[in-house]
Amino acid sequence: MYPYYENEWSVLPPELNRRFNPAFNITAIKQVLTEAVERVRMPTPMRLRDLIRQIRAARTAAEERSVVNKECACIRSTFREEDSVWRCRNIAKLLYIHMLGYPAHFGQLECLKLIASPRFTDKRIGYLGAMLLLDERQDVHLLITNCLKNDLNSTTQFAVGLALCTLGAIASPEMARDLAGEVERLMKSPNAYVKKKAALCAYRIIKRVPELMEIFLPATRSLLSEKNHGVLITGVTLIIEMCQNSPDTLEHFKKIVPNLVRILKNLILAGYSPEHDVSGVSDPFLQVKILKLLRVLGRNDPDASEAMNDILAQVATNTETSKNVGNTILYETVLSIMDIKSEGGLRVLAVNILGRFLLNNDKNIRYVALNTLLKTVHVDTSAVQRHRSTILECLKDPDVSIRRRAMELSFALVNSQNIRTMMKEMLAFLDKSDPEFKAQCSSKIVHAAERFAPNKRWHLDTLLKVLVAAGNYLRDDVITCTIQLISESTPQQAYITYQLWKALEEDTMDKQPLTQVATWAIGEYGDLLLTGNIDIDNDVFERPNEDKVIDVYQRLLWSPQNTPTTKQYTLLSLTKLSTRFPNSNHKIQQIVSSFCSNLHIELQQRGVEFTQLFGKYGHLRPALLERMPPMEPTSKEGEIQTNGDIESPETKVDDSPTRNINNDSNALLDLLGSDPSDMEIIKPSSTSIPIQPVSKSNNQDLLDLLGDLDLSPSIPPADTGLTLISENNNPTIPITNTNSNFLTGDFFNTNITNEKNVPMITAFDKNGLKITFSLEKIPDTNNTLSINVSATNSTLSNMTDFLFQAAVPRTFQIQMLSPSGTVIVPNGEITQILRIVNPNRNILKMRIRISYTIGGMAVQEQTEVNNFPNTIWD
């Protein structure tokens, strides 16, 4: 028996302080002695647990920083002294400091030294430090490739596993290309542990460098023949990634569907296995992975889907649902059934599974079921409709996320057959819902009622209930939709006006949208409210009188709860009632005139203007305040049509404000990238004198503004009888052609008859702004064209500061008259006239620039018009 070394004089560390072993060689003994000497010579660093205790004991952030900085200084000093004994402990502390968010980059090289150590404990800390402290932007990243390659060839499986984990975590594209061959070799290893780690590493390499996929294809397919479940899971994960990245690989792996079906069937039919059993289910993790892969392989493939239909049905019917693992497998089964080309009966089974999930007490399962039904409701609506009552019950759930998903799913189930029942439930939900739901829910109710309303009266009643239930949380589009519906529902106008009056009279809460719609309707159809034939189903019917209506209006106008917008609605409505209520004119006039000194400028302006209608302009009041014509419904292009012809506004030249021509010209030249000294831009003129070329004394030809669009060499323009208005405000030259009187004749005549039927062209159509050109050949001329520019606004906001600019090649002359305005209201129009003179009868091309302000934002657009017909000059 060999004696033990005594603790008092032993130079061996505690882990080596054991019975003497003659197998120790001299080198090991020397290393132990050297480390023992270093332990004695150098002070022992703080242990990791002590550092954690000190940091947790810090009461302030400054105290914590002090502890960390002091320890980092000690760690740096040991690194400089090349302390190999305590390097592992120091790196462990440094990793903890890094996790707290403090800089620890100075330990990168020390991690490499630990990786190169022959001890597994050192390697483990070294590789962990490399994964946390290194990234591919660091130069140290290149030095670790050699260490990884050495450990990938190690005879110890745990060292190989460490290297594979690190490679998958920090592999750069260059490192992946260098070591992909080693990983592919390890995927064929007989060791299941190494094979599993290699497959996961290959998965990470493919995500970083997809072109390396072909290297791993042969080894990947062989993974499915393994019996080890860990290898099977990693193999299936790797195949899923390959199939999602490459269509060719997807076709290649569709051949393994029978193998996957067989593995899944064996898992279902397998008996109890303590190694893989989780709550009575055999390896649910592997089942979920296989179901995901089947979903990828069967998507848009009838043959592959047919091969997996039976096993999916078997999984859906045989899986235990009392435990959460069973619900997980069923959920993946449902996703697979809905994603592949499955049979109709199988889809119904999947929807029924989701319906059972809605009855589960677990909120997460109910949320997942609602979310999945919302994605599949458009695929099989009839199957989801069977669970409508359960879905509506979820609207009462205390969890806000479940209520939101249930609301969205409920609206997806609405159709023409169940519109009455569903709207009744949704209106009840709207009345009791939280404020965060009211805006979205009310808009969806309005949209559903617009699509599936059985009749006008039901539609109007539904919108009225929305106005009452939603309060101030209604969106503006609901107000406009309700007003339009009332306007176009002529037989129901008396009925809905009375209903709105009742809601307005009884409601004491602050509901601005209801007040706005009610006052608009009463102002338009107040006479019907008093004398119209109101068809009310209820026996309780009390028709209001004029004084009662005026009293309610007076309360609304002086209520501090009502917004200025609501008061504007009310004031206009009250003014209109002066023509509907003949006995209350004096009282209405007093109320309206009281707003002439209102502090709000909009209300004051309306008060002043409406008061004038009761004075010297009283004879105009009946005509100005007559009932609005019915609004026509929205056309299929989404533009609102109006009854009657739309009159184009007159083109006024003299009254339009003069723009700063030089500033606008320079702006356009900057846009075109040209020198302002060499180019001229034609701008709207502030005079009514037509254009004509300038005489040779003022020889300023129109230079080419379009660069490469110049169609011919520069030729002095011919004498066309028009004067040219210069950009430097030089005096204009009188008209030399006396054959045509432009001032009193056809120059400003917008009703010029075309010599040929030239079609209109669309010059610009974007973001709700549409600009069209109407081309008209001026009679008795062969080279002069009149272009009527029309700009229309199809948005819901005003376009202000509208400016239209145009540029043509130098061989043309152009004159732009002032536009009819600078503000385009919604569905409004601005017109402008352009005159183009083409002496050489070249092909016309034009570059235009548009600028305007909408919603407080300045917008600038530029485009080129090159689709002018070639026959316009014939």
Side-chain angles (χ1 to χ4, degrees):
M1 297 292 294
Y2 295 98
Y4 285 94
Y5 287 97
E6 296 296 332
N7 291 334
E8 290 76 17
W9 55 269
S10 175
V11 296
L12 295 176
E15 63 270 16
L16 298 179
N17 190 9
R18 59 179 66 87
R19 186 185 302 276
F20 176 74
N21 187 352
F24 281 137
N25 54 25
I26 300 300
T27 304
I29 294 176
K30 287 182 177 180
Q31 181 181 355
V32 172
L33 290 174
T34 303
E35 292 179 356
V37 172
E38 289 185 359
R39 292 177 191 274
V40 174
R41 181 172 57 87
M42 298 189 62
T44 304
M46 183 189 303
R47 294 181 301 177
L48 176 60
R49 68 182 65 179
D50 296 331
L51 175 63
I52 296 174
R53 189 177 295 112
Q54 285 189 16
I55 291 177
R56 289 181 175 178
R59 298 181 179 179
T60 63
E63 188 177 348
E64 178 183 309
R65 285 195 300 270
S66 176
V67 173
V68 171
N69 291 337
K70 182 179 178 181
E71 186 61 29
C72 287
C74 295
I75 293 175
R76 282 193 180 95
S77 64
T78 56
F79 286 167
R80 284 193 297 268
E81 294 173 2
E82 293 294 332
D83 177 19
S84 60
V85 178
W86 306 111
R87 182 180 289 124
C88 183
R89 177 181 292 185
N90 288 330
I91 291 296
K93 291 186 294 184
L94 199 61
L95 294 181
Y96 179 74
I97 292 172
H98 171 74
M99 291 168 58
L100 295 178
Y102 295 96
H105 58 279
F106 56 88
Q108 293 173 352
L109 287 176
E110 301 301 319
C111 292
L112 293 180
K113 294 177 183 178
L114 285 179
I115 291 173
S117 172
R119 293 183 178 181
F120 177 76
T121 54
D122 290 348
K123 282 183 179 295
R124 183 174 58 184
I125 296 296
Y127 276 124
L128 179 60
M131 286 187 281
L132 292 177
L133 302 181
L134 297 186
D135 58 71
E136 57 182 276
R137 295 186 298 272
Q138 302 292 337
D139 296 336
V140 183
H141 193 264
L142 302 176
L143 304 177
I144 200 175
T145 305
N146 244 0
C147 297
L148 288 172
K149 189 168 186 179
N150 292 335
D151 286 335
L152 289 176
N153 294 310
S154 174
T155 56
T156 306
Q157 64 174 358
F158 301 109
V160 176
L162 283 175
L164 288 171
C165 290
T166 306
L167 176 60
I170 65 173
S172 63
E174 294 77 12
M175 183 185 296
R177 293 186 180 93
D178 293 339
L179 300 177
E182 299 292 334
V183 176
E184 191 268 341
R185 176 181 59 82
L186 293 174
M187 288 177 64
K188 302 175 183 178
S189 171
N191 190 319
Y193 176 85
V194 174
K195 188 178 296 187
K196 176 179 65 176
K197 296 284 186 179
L200 291 175
C201 184
Y203 168 80
R204 299 298 297 270
I205 289 176
I206 290 174
K207 288 182 72 72
R208 295 301 306 274
V209 191
E211 57 265 24
L212 295 177
M213 188 186 307
E214 296 182 1
I215 299 177
F216 302 106
L217 278 177
T220 301
R221 186 162 185 177
S222 64
L223 295 177
L224 296 180
S225 60
E226 292 288 330
K227 295 182 179 180
N228 185 281
H229 285 206
V231 177
L232 283 175
I233 290 177
T234 55
V236 171
T237 305
L238 182 58
I239 294 174
I240 292 174
E241 180 65 24
M242 288 181 172
C243 293
Q244 291 177 343
N245 282 340
S246 172
D248 295 335
T249 308
L250 177 62
E251 294 296 327
H252 173 76
F253 279 112
K254 284 183 179 180
K255 303 173 184 177
I256 67 172
V257 171
N259 294 342
L260 295 172
V261 171
R262 176 179 49 81
I263 296 173
L264 188 56
K265 188 174 183 179
N266 292 336
L267 287 172
I268 297 173
L269 301 178
Y272 174 76
S273 174
E275 184 180 358
H276 306 119
D277 184 84
V278 179
S279 300
V281 179
S282 178
D283 203 343
F285 304 100
L286 180 57
Q287 291 191 44
V288 167
K289 284 292 183 181
I290 293 176
L291 288 170
K292 286 184 178 179
L293 181 54
L294 290 176
R295 180 161 72 246
V296 173
L297 297 176
R299 187 180 294 124
N300 299 324
D301 190 328
D303 296 334
S305 301
E306 179 66 24
M308 62 184 74
N309 274 336
D310 293 339
I311 190 63
L312 290 177
Q314 195 171 354
V315 173
T317 53
N318 293 342
T319 304
E320 178 64 35
T321 59
S322 59
K323 299 299 175 91
N324 199 34
V325 290
N327 293 327
T328 304
I329 296 175
L330 284 177
Y331 176 66
E332 290 295 335
T333 306
V334 169
L335 294 182
S336 300
I337 292 173
M338 291 301 181
D339 218 9
I340 66 173
K341 299 287 186 179
S342 56
E343 300 173 351
L346 201 56
R347 289 181 179 273
V348 173
L349 175 61
V351 174
N352 291 339
I353 292 174
L354 295 176
R356 292 202 304 271
F357 282 174
L358 293 178
L359 301 175
N360 199 296
N361 293 327
D362 192 334
K363 294 182 179 181
N364 295 325
I365 295 178
R366 292 205 302 274
Y367 178 83
V368 166
L370 289 169
N371 207 27
T372 309
L373 285 172
L374 189 59
K375 296 177 182 178
T376 59
V377 64
H378 303 292
V379 179
D380 197 343
T381 308
S382 59
V384 183
Q385 287 282 0
R386 299 189 184 100
H387 306 278
R388 190 174 65 208
S389 58
T390 309
I391 296 170
L392 292 174
E393 283 296 320
C394 293
L395 293 172
K396 305 174 184 177
D397 195 280
D399 189 270
V400 62
S401 300
I402 293 178
R403 291 203 306 272
R404 185 178 300 278
R405 286 291 176 264
M407 180 189 70
E408 295 174 356
L409 182 56
S410 298
F411 282 113
L413 293 176
V414 175
N415 55 34
S416 56
Q417 285 76 31
N418 61 19
I419 180 67
R420 293 179 182 271
T421 305
M422 292 297 292
M423 287 303 100
K424 184 178 179 181
E425 295 288 343
M426 299 315 298
L427 285 170
F429 171 75
L430 176 63
D431 189 33
K432 300 178 181 179
S433 63
D434 299 333
E436 59 183 302
F437 289 98
K438 288 186 180 294
Q440 183 181 7
C441 184
S442 59
S443 292
K444 287 183 176 293
I445 290 176
V446 171
H447 180 66
E450 184 178 354
R451 291 182 60 193
F452 305 111
N455 53 66
K456 288 288 186 181
R457 171 166 287 198
W458 181 92
H459 194 180
L460 290 169
D461 287 339
T462 301
L463 294 185
L464 176 60
K465 293 175 183 176
V466 171
L467 290 171
V468 173
N472 286 335
Y473 299 99
L474 271 177
R475 295 176 179 171
D476 292 339
D477 57 340
V478 177
I479 300 175
T480 56
C481 289
T482 307
I483 290 176
Q484 178 179 341
L485 180 63
I486 296 173
S487 174
E488 66 189 35
S489 304
T490 305
Q492 304 294 333
Q493 287 171 349
Y495 167 78
I496 191 59
T497 303
Y498 175 75
Q499 295 292 349
L500 287 168
W501 158 253
K502 285 178 55 180
L504 188 65
E505 183 187 20
E506 297 171 1
D507 182 65
T508 58
M509 298 179 63
D510 180 26
K511 298 180 179 178
Q512 305 299 318
L514 172 64
T515 306
Q516 293 172 14
V517 175
T519 53
W520 181 90
I522 295 172
E524 292 293 327
Y525 316 111
D527 51 341
L528 300 179
L529 180 64
L530 300 182
T531 61
N533 183 17
I534 302 176
D535 183 14
I536 300 295
D537 297 333
N538 193 352
D539 296 335
V540 180
F541 174 71
E542 181 182 356
R543 192 185 296 273
N545 54 37
E546 294 184 8
D547 293 336
K548 193 171 185 179
V549 175
I550 300 301
D551 291 341
V552 171
Y553 268 71
Q554 192 168 7
R555 173 175 60 84
L556 294 174
L557 286 172
W558 295 108
S559 172
Q561 292 181 330
N562 290 332
T563 63
T565 302
T566 302
K567 292 183 179 181
Q568 291 170 25
Y569 272 88
T570 308
L571 192 59
L572 177 59
S573 175
L574 182 62
T575 307
K576 285 194 170 187
L577 286 179
S578 64
T579 63
R580 278 70 162 169
F581 295 173
N583 300 325
S584 304
N585 277 354
H586 180 67
K587 190 174 183 179
I588 293 175
Q589 181 181 359
Q590 288 181 339
I591 298 174
V592 172
S593 60
S594 65
F595 281 86
C596 293
S597 58
N598 195 281
L599 295 178
H600 194 276
I601 189 64
E602 290 289 340
L603 292 174
Q604 183 186 120
Q605 179 181 354
R606 280 168 170 75
V608 172
E609 293 174 350
F610 295 159
T611 301
Q612 298 297 319
L613 296 178
F614 292 93
K616 60 179 180 179
Y617 299 105
H619 61 284
L620 298 177
R621 182 157 45 89
L624 289 176
L625 303 180
E626 65 181 2
R627 187 176 300 171
M628 292 181 61
M631 302 178 188
E632 294 184 359
T634 306
S635 63
K636 60 183 179 181
E637 286 88 9
E639 298 179 355
I640 303 299
Q641 299 177 348
T642 57
N643 291 309
D645 297 332
I646 300 177
E647 295 182 0
S648 300
E650 294 183 355
T651 304
K652 298 181 180 180
V653 179
D654 295 337
D655 296 338
S656 300
T658 305
R659 296 182 180 272
N660 190 334
I661 297 177
N662 292 332
N663 292 340
D664 292 336
S665 300
N666 293 336
L668 183 55
L669 290 173
D670 291 340
L671 181 65
L672 299 177
S674 305
D675 186 5
S677 62
D678 297 334
M679 298 187 180
E680 295 178 355
I681 306 297
I682 300 300
K683 295 298 297 147
S685 173
S686 60
T687 66
S688 60
I689 303 177
I691 61 173
Q692 183 179 358
V694 181
S695 63
K696 293 184 179 180
S697 61
N698 293 330
N699 188 12
Q700 294 180 353
D701 293 338
L702 283 175
L703 300 179
D704 184 11
L705 297 178
L706 304 179
D708 57 351
L709 296 182
D710 188 10
L711 305 176
S712 62
S714 178
I715 300 176
D719 187 2
T720 59
L722 303 176
T723 61
L724 173 65
I725 300 176
S726 302
E727 291 300 321
N728 54 7
N729 294 326
N730 289 333
T732 59
I733 296 182
I735 300 174
T736 58
N737 186 357
T738 60
N739 295 330
S740 177
N741 187 355
F742 290 102
L743 293 178
T744 60
D746 58 359
F747 188 82
F748 294 106
N749 182 13
T750 59
N751 296 322
I752 300 174
T753 304
N754 293 340
E755 286 187 346
K756 293 188 176 183
N757 186 17
V758 181
M760 296 176 61
I761 63 174
T762 300
F764 181 84
D765 191 356
K766 185 178 180 182
N767 298 332
L769 175 62
K770 184 176 182 180
I771 297 179
T772 57
F773 287 174
S774 178
L775 312 177
E776 299 179 357
K777 190 72 173 295
I778 297 180
D780 301 329
T781 60
N782 293 327
N783 55 8
T784 305
L785 180 70
S786 175
I787 301 179
N788 296 323
V789 182
S790 175
T792 57
N793 175 15
S794 60
T795 67
L796 299 179
S797 304
N798 290 338
M799 293 183 179
T800 60
D801 299 329
F802 181 79
L803 175 63
F804 175 84
Q805 298 171 300
V808 294
R810 67 166 69 93
T811 56
F812 294 81
Q813 294 101 49
I814 182 174
Q815 180 198 24
M816 296 178 62
L817 300 183
S818 297
S820 60
T822 60
V823 178
I824 314 179
V825 298
N827 298 313
E829 181 183 33
I830 281 182
T831 59
Q832 192 169 1
I833 297 178
L834 276 65
R835 297 285 176 162
I836 305 292
V837 179
N838 184 9
N840 302 320
R841 304 174 68 82
N842 293 325
I843 298 176
L844 176 60
K845 292 188 178 182
M846 182 182 298
R847 182 169 293 176
I848 62 175
R849 171 179 165 178
I850 307 103
S851 62
Y852 58 91
T853 302
I854 183 170
M857 297 180 59
V859 180
Q860 288 188 353
E861 299 286 352
Q862 179 183 345
T863 186
E864 183 177 305
V865 185
N866 52 14
N867 57 342
F868 289 96
N870 296 329
T871 59
I872 58 177
W873 306 109
D874 295 340

